[in-house]
Amino acid sequence: MFPGEAAGAGLSPDPVSGAARLDPADAGLDAPEAIPLRPLGFRELLDLPFALIQPQIATLGAVCGIGFAVAEGVVLAITAAISAATGGSDAGIAWTAIIATVLCGGALRFVVRGVTVPIGLARVRRRPIGARTALAEFGRNLGGLLILQIRYTLVGLGVLALGIPLLITLPPALLLLGWLRGRQFASVPVLFEERVPAGVAARRARTLAIGSEWRLARLSWTLRLVSLLLVPPLLGLMLFVSQISGTHLWPMIGLGVATALVAFTFTELVESAARVTAYIDRRCRREAWDVRLPVPEEAR
């Protein structure tokens, strides 16, 4: 994904005659679906993550489905083990299921982020990759992703720890946390695209986000609110299935865990795609990434 490869950037020379020709992506309604390489409006930043996911839905669905099945199995296995150890204590089962779901949901989000970002970047380059290549990219950047996630979590816990003791300080703490996370919103795409260490990726993301921290924070908040719209249908489905299976303990635990994991997965899928589109927007705005450089005659 370089300025010279940018589709929709205007006229480009014909490789044979050298005459200017229209880019195929400028062909109006006949143009293929693509993510534009140019500065993006806020509405586009909200819409394009879904456009980025849609062409790769089979690949992403396969990876997310496998991750979901593994996470669900691990939660149920841990809960069953604690149930056997505590003699079926209701409180022990409930707390174990909740804690295990949060931990496995966090791990599942980590995997979804590590796969969605390289798939999204490859889609922007118009060189789609499959699940195997995406997993290889995830493995190559595993250490950097883990460092970014630890820093992300520690900052979040630190800010909330300052804001929670006094309820009056909680809203400013949440605003501060949103601003801080807006500064780091593009750190994961930087890590994958620019192949730099985690510390450099974090500093680079802060540089790209200068002047747009609140815009990126608002983007993250809005997408999370949109993702919450998925919760009522999931709860309705869970209640419908529970009426068929009965309100027995283990079916209800399984349904509750599945509902939470699906919500975690979808939220991360959309936010990771939004990180890619935000990275494009910031590079175009700050570095004119969408400008096509003219090719001198002697270089043709």
Side-chain angles (χ1 to χ4, degrees):
M1 190 168 61
F2 300 98
E5 297 174 350
L11 296 177
S12 58
D14 186 274
V16 178
S17 64
R21 59 175 173 82
L22 285 175
D23 193 296
D26 291 327
L29 295 177
D30 295 329
E33 291 292 332
I35 304 300
L37 188 63
R38 57 174 170 75
L40 303 173
F42 188 76
R43 181 174 177 179
E44 290 179 303
L45 290 173
L46 289 176
D47 293 341
L48 287 176
F50 299 95
L52 197 65
I53 293 169
Q54 185 179 359
Q56 300 288 122
I57 194 64
T59 301
L60 290 169
V63 175
C64 293
I66 294 172
F68 167 83
V70 171
E72 176 88 5
V74 170
V75 172
L76 294 180
I78 294 174
T79 306
I82 296 298
S83 174
T86 59
S89 167
D90 289 343
I93 292 173
W95 280 109
T96 301
I98 292 171
I99 294 172
T101 300
V102 171
L103 292 177
C104 289
L108 180 58
R109 290 189 63 183
F110 184 75
V111 174
V112 171
R113 183 183 311 137
V115 172
T116 303
V117 170
I119 286 178
L121 289 170
R123 192 74 198 178
V124 172
R125 297 189 209 102
R126 302 172 189 253
R127 297 169 188 160
I129 59 175
R132 182 175 299 179
T133 305
L135 288 170
E137 285 288 302
F138 172 48
R140 187 180 63 80
N141 291 282
L142 182 60
L145 273 174
L146 189 58
I147 292 172
L148 289 176
Q149 182 61 47
I150 291 172
R151 294 176 60 173
Y152 191 82
T153 302
L154 290 178
V155 169
L157 292 176
V159 173
L160 291 178
L162 294 174
I164 288 176
L166 297 175
L167 290 179
I168 194 172
T169 60
L170 184 57
L174 292 175
L175 290 174
L176 174 61
L177 182 59
W179 184 82
L180 291 173
R181 291 189 167 176
R183 296 178 75 194
Q184 291 297 314
F185 199 68
S187 58
V188 178
V190 170
L191 184 72
F192 278 90
E193 180 67 18
E194 303 183 21
R195 302 181 182 274
V196 293
V200 177
R203 292 193 296 271
R204 172 86 167 127
R206 289 197 296 269
T207 300
L208 290 175
I210 290 175
S212 68
E213 292 90 348
W214 288 117
R215 187 171 186 252
L216 294 174
R218 185 160 58 100
L219 172 64
S220 178
W221 290 332
T222 304
L223 288 173
R224 294 198 177 200
L225 289 174
V226 170
S227 300
L228 286 177
L229 297 176
L230 181 68
V231 174
L234 287 175
L235 291 176
L237 179 62
M238 184 182 77
L239 294 174
F240 174 74
V241 175
S242 67
Q243 289 178 353
I244 299 174
S245 63
T247 55
H248 301 292
L249 178 62
W250 288 104
M252 289 302 296
I253 290 176
L255 287 171
V257 171
T259 300
L261 292 179
V262 169
F264 286 153
T265 303
F266 181 78
T267 301
E268 186 57 48
L269 193 65
V270 174
E271 184 165 306
S272 295
R275 291 174 186 271
V276 174
T277 55
Y279 172 71
I280 295 168
D281 174 67
R282 295 313 303 162
R283 288 210 63 180
C284 290
R285 289 179 184 274
R286 289 190 60 86
E287 301 173 353
W289 210 24
D290 55 323
V291 175
R292 187 190 298 275
L293 300 177
V295 179
E297 289 290 337
E298 58 273 11
R300 291 177 182 169

